[in-house]
Amino acid sequence: TGGDDLNRRVGFRVALQRLPPGSVLRIATSGLYRASVDGQFVGHGPARAGHGHFRIDEWSLDSGAGSGTSVVAIEVAASTARSFYMVKQQPFLQAEVVYDGKVLAATPDFQAIDLHPVVVRKVPRYSYQRTFTEVFRPTPGWSAAWRSVAEWDGPVMKLVEAPTFPLADRGVPYPKFKVIDSTSVASGTFRVLSKPPKRRYYGFHPENFGDFAQEELQARPDLMMSSLQPKSLDPGPTGDSIQPGTFHLHDFGTNLSGFLGFRLRAERPATLLVTFDELRTGPKDTVDPHRMKCVNCILIELPAGTYTIETIEPYTLRYLQLHALDAAITLEGNYLRELAHPHAGRATFASSDPRLDKIFTAAGQTFRQNATDIFMDCPSRERAGWLCDSFFTARVEANLTGC
């Protein structure tokens, strides 16, 4: 549970000539993955299975079909740590591109790229129950290129053959991954405390649970998050530019679960700390990222340039605050790629009591965010398949989805 196996992020890519329409990408992995073709999002997974078993996802590659070169890329995040969320298992990827029964590319045909120049590896855990936080250090001309350029001339890793594992069909429906933009609702100022208060959520993990020693950590988003103290809040829409020492508060309209995305521009090196939560319970009606005893933040250390960054881990929130720590940052876009059950909206309910209507809407959201691949207790702090929660959630699946 320690050493070089913890929290690895690897990119796999293969360039294919004249990818025919109807081509399919099949993936199985022990970690999380995000697939793309020519830099455009294709899918995320996998659907989790029991220890030692893995499910196969299949994705259409029609968006990349054509007469030129298509780059199929898969980003894999393997925590290799104990958690309530992902089973600790040997990291592996098994993938193939298939058309009409013919394998166009298999795992040995992919180039493997170490992504830790742009994703910091030795970081704190997100929570006791889940694995690691995400810290990004994008590199100009590199961060997105590995997913899209026909010829990759950067360093590659050596692939090692892994043992075979039992594979099964996905068995659950694929999310739709709807992209939802946030709305700016306020801006404010903050100060940085010289000595942040110590929080309970960090440093209480059992021995061999899967954690980096504090002296090894390459970034401390947990301490940075604790050191920020709001000074003022001004309601109303904000512009695109976040000045140093200020933050913008954004609202998604309701609690959602998914992957946070940012389109950012900086004229010189700048640091952005994004905090988030489901409620506004912080000082002056701001976000309190400590409420759930998680590291509810994303740290992005930007060189000068324009970048698009999207998390590979899902988070649950309604509100987020974007803090510019040391230089101005232009926010060209902020979105959430939703991770939810695709069929929960089939059931409808209407009554003469608006309170009951709101309860039904909230119940539907609770189900759809907690039933993506297994029945979970919550989509945020744990994402765990507790049997008591799954018992009650399973009882309403047919009522809400019709299947």
Side-chain angles (χ1 to χ4, degrees):
T1 56
D4 288 342
D5 57 345
L6 281 178
N7 198 28
R8 286 290 186 183
R9 190 82 65 98
V10 179
F12 297 85
R13 52 162 279 135
V14 63
L16 299 171
Q17 295 290 332
R18 295 181 294 279
L19 186 67
S23 298
V24 171
L25 173 63
R26 294 174 178 160
I27 304 174
T29 180
S30 58
L32 299 176
Y33 77 82
R34 175 170 53 217
S36 63
V37 59
D38 296 333
Q40 300 302 308
F41 179 87
V42 168
H44 185 285
R48 288 169 286 178
H51 196 178
H53 294 75
F54 305 93
R55 301 190 184 278
I56 303 170
D57 285 351
E58 295 192 1
W59 300 102
S60 168
L61 296 177
D62 282 352
S63 61
S67 58
T69 300
S70 300
V71 177
V72 178
I74 306 167
E75 182 176 352
V76 177
S79 68
T80 324
R82 291 185 174 93
S83 73
F84 297 7
Y85 159 50
M86 299 288 292
V87 178
K88 180 194 173 188
Q89 300 177 113
Q90 178 180 345
F92 80 94
L93 172 72
Q94 190 169 342
E96 61 182 12
V97 179
V98 180
Y99 170 71
D100 195 24
K102 179 182 178 182
V103 177
L104 305 181
T107 315
D109 301 314
F110 284 72
Q111 294 174 299
I113 301 161
D114 186 351
L115 298 182
H116 289 302
V118 296
V119 180
V120 180
R121 177 174 163 247
K122 295 185 177 182
V123 294
R125 288 179 71 115
Y126 170 75
S127 66
Y128 172 83
Q129 298 87 346
R130 283 179 64 174
T131 53
F132 295 95
T133 57
E134 293 183 88
V135 176
F136 299 92
R137 290 174 179 163
T139 303
W142 196 101
S143 299
W146 74 270
R147 294 188 179 94
S148 56
V149 297
E151 297 290 337
W152 174 254
D153 57 4
V156 296
M157 304 171 69
K158 181 182 178 181
L159 293 175
V160 177
E161 186 173 350
T164 58
F165 299 99
L167 301 178
D169 292 336
R170 178 179 171 89
V172 292
Y174 293 90
K176 295 179 180 178
F177 299 111
K178 181 181 178 181
V179 174
I180 302 169
D181 292 326
S182 65
T183 301
S184 64
V185 295
S187 61
T189 60
F190 65 90
R191 68 187 184 102
V192 179
L193 301 176
S194 58
K195 188 176 181 180
K198 189 173 182 179
R199 302 288 176 175
R200 291 184 62 249
Y201 52 73
Y202 187 76
F204 285 81
H205 306 147
E207 186 178 359
N208 296 327
F209 198 63
D211 205 355
F212 293 106
Q214 294 197 30
E215 60 271 16
E216 294 182 32
L217 294 175
Q218 298 164 324
R220 294 302 303 266
D222 54 330
L223 297 183
M224 296 175 69
M225 178 180 80
S226 297
S227 70
L228 300 185
Q229 185 178 72
K231 292 170 55 181
S232 66
L233 183 71
D234 299 315
T238 63
D240 296 336
S241 178
I242 311 174
Q243 296 299 311
T246 71
F247 64 85
H248 288 186
L249 175 62
H250 282 235
D251 184 358
F252 282 103
T254 190
N255 276 347
L256 299 170
S257 296
F259 315 102
L260 285 170
F262 310 93
R263 291 182 288 272
L264 306 166
R265 187 175 77 249
E267 301 301 325
R268 63 185 184 90
T271 305
L272 180 71
L273 187 70
V274 182
T275 58
F276 54 87
D277 194 29
E278 302 169 41
L279 303 170
R280 289 170 60 178
T281 58
K284 302 183 183 298
D285 200 25
T286 59
V287 166
D288 178 9
H290 312 99
R291 185 184 65 89
M292 292 284 286
K293 296 181 173 61
C294 307
V295 183
N296 263 0
C297 72
I298 307 295
L299 176 60
I300 305 174
E301 299 176 359
L302 292 167
T306 301
Y307 306 91
T308 297
I309 300 211
E310 183 174 318
T311 67
I312 200 169
E313 289 279 357
Y315 302 100
T316 300
L317 67 148
R318 174 175 174 175
Y319 302 102
L320 58 79
Q321 284 178 189
L322 303 106
H323 305 80
L325 300 188
D326 47 17
I329 298 169
T330 300
L331 179 67
E332 297 185 342
N334 171 227
Y335 62 89
L336 181 140
R337 193 183 301 275
E338 192 177 29
L339 180 62
H341 194 291
H343 304 319
R346 290 176 174 174
T348 60
F349 177 85
S351 72
S352 59
D353 189 338
R355 296 173 299 175
L356 294 178
D357 295 347
K358 288 182 177 179
I359 291 173
F360 179 83
T361 299
Q365 282 286 6
T366 299
F367 171 82
R368 65 193 297 270
Q369 295 179 48
N370 281 290
T372 54
D373 55 351
I374 61 173
F375 295 129
M376 299 182 295
D377 66 321
C378 70
S380 54
R381 182 177 59 198
E382 300 189 16
R383 298 189 68 82
W386 294 105
L387 293 178
C388 54
D389 300 273
S390 59
F391 172 77
F392 291 108
T393 307
R395 294 177 69 180
V396 302
E397 180 181 25
N399 296 333
L400 293 177
T401 68
C403 57

